[in-house]
Amino acid sequence: GQNIDQPTEMTATEGAIVQINCTYQTSGFNGLFWYQQHAGEAPTFLSYNVLDGLEEKGRFSSFLSRSKGYSYLLLKELQMKDSASYLCVAYNNAGNMLTFGGGTRLMVKP
Amino acid sequence: DTEVTQTPKHLVMGMTNKKSLKCEQHMGHRAMYWYKQKAKKPPELMFVYSYEKLSINESVPSRFSPECPNSSLLNLHLHALQPEDSALYLCASSHQSGLAGAYEQYFGPGTRLTVT
């Protein structure tokens, strides 16, 4: 079966750091994506981790531990425009399958 | 060009109508996808096309009929829909992935469908 868990909602302050955690249990796991989705818009790609460790890309970093079935997305120097849903997505190499978590709605307050 | 386009942006249709959603990309991607997304929920995969052939159908009702006329186009034909089919329909594309890993999916802006 496929199961991905992430918090439903988080609130943080502008300029702060926030970490969004994700745990997964999926068959055929071959990597983990993070997508950002603003309300009413399409998801946009943020990161992809296939090996254990931290991938840094500007203000955003993503971490993966395959042995623990765990990932997190770290957002630094939060800006108001970072208010969005963040989707943890597991990639299954059988048929290009993506399994989406329920998404974490992040609200950034002044 | 890293854009996936979808038309129309909004569609209102009755339960007896027949309509089509269209998706286009010119990135040379050979994998294309249809997703359905309800409000405050993640996208749900409906169909996957790989090299213009249907490779995955996630038990979608037959009132949804996909079509991939060529490597750049993906259609979703709609017939006799129900009000509960109202949702945002997202198209995405990616390079054809293999065992070595995945390529990110590029999503179109979606078609917001309302069935009355």
Side-chain angles (χ1 to χ4, degrees):
Chain A
Q2 316 286 341
N3 190 45
I4 299 181
D5 288 315
Q6 54 181 128
T8 306
E9 290 185 351
M10 297 182 72
T11 302
T13 305
E14 192 176 15
I17 299 173
V18 70
Q19 178 173 311
I20 303 175
N21 296 322
C22 171
T23 58
Y24 63 88
Q25 291 174 309
T26 62
S27 56
F29 177 82
N30 204 39
L32 194 122
F33 289 95
W34 283 94
Y35 278 83
Q36 179 192 60
Q37 187 174 25
H38 286 96
E41 298 182 12
T44 55
F45 168 80
L46 289 178
S47 66
Y48 177 57
N49 293 65
V50 62
L51 300 175
D52 285 359
L54 186 68
E55 297 269 349
E56 296 186 75
K57 194 184 292 186
R59 293 189 300 114
F60 293 5
S61 303
S62 57
F63 172 84
L64 177 67
S65 169
R66 297 177 72 117
S67 61
K68 295 181 180 178
Y70 168 68
S71 174
Y72 68 73
L73 180 69
L74 190 71
L75 294 80
K76 303 176 186 175
E77 301 169 19
L78 281 173
Q79 302 176 8
M80 298 300 290
K81 66 178 182 180
D82 297 330
S83 293
S85 283
Y86 290 86
L87 302 166
C88 176
V89 188
Y91 172 67
N92 179 324
N93 60 15
N96 288 341
M97 293 283 291
L98 295 184
T99 301
F100 285 79
T104 298
R105 283 188 296 281
L106 174 66
M107 185 180 303
V108 180
K109 294 186 173 179
Chain B
D1 182 4
T2 59
E3 191 180 24
V4 177
T5 59
Q6 290 187 244
T7 55
K9 286 188 176 182
H10 300 275
L11 178 63
V12 179
M13 61 185 289
M15 290 188 284
T16 59
N17 291 159
K18 281 186 181 181
K19 297 286 184 184
S20 296
L21 309 185
K22 297 186 183 300
C23 173
E24 189 167 2
Q25 56 85 19
H26 296 285
M27 294 178 276
H29 291 169
R30 302 308 294 272
M32 296 186 76
Y33 314 79
W34 279 115
Y35 290 89
K36 172 183 177 180
Q37 187 174 26
K38 301 284 254 184
K40 297 186 178 181
K41 297 288 187 182
E44 298 174 25
L45 182 66
M46 299 174 73
F47 302 104
V48 180
Y49 271 83
S50 178
Y51 291 97
E52 296 88 72
K53 292 194 186 322
L54 183 65
S55 61
I56 292 176
N57 176 341
E58 288 289 282
S59 301
V60 180
S62 60
R63 57 186 184 268
F64 295 91
S65 175
E67 178 198 18
C68 190
N70 60 54
S71 60
S72 299
L73 294 173
L74 186 66
N75 298 323
L76 186 62
H77 303 298
L78 314 172
H79 174 54
L81 294 193
Q82 304 296 312
E84 60 264 30
D85 296 322
S86 298
L88 180 69
Y89 288 84
L90 293 164
C91 172
S93 72
S94 73
H95 288 294
Q96 183 63 39
S97 300
L99 292 174
Y103 293 97
E104 65 265 30
Q105 292 185 13
Y106 291 79
F107 285 83
T111 294
R112 188 158 298 284
L113 174 68
T114 303
V115 182
T116 60

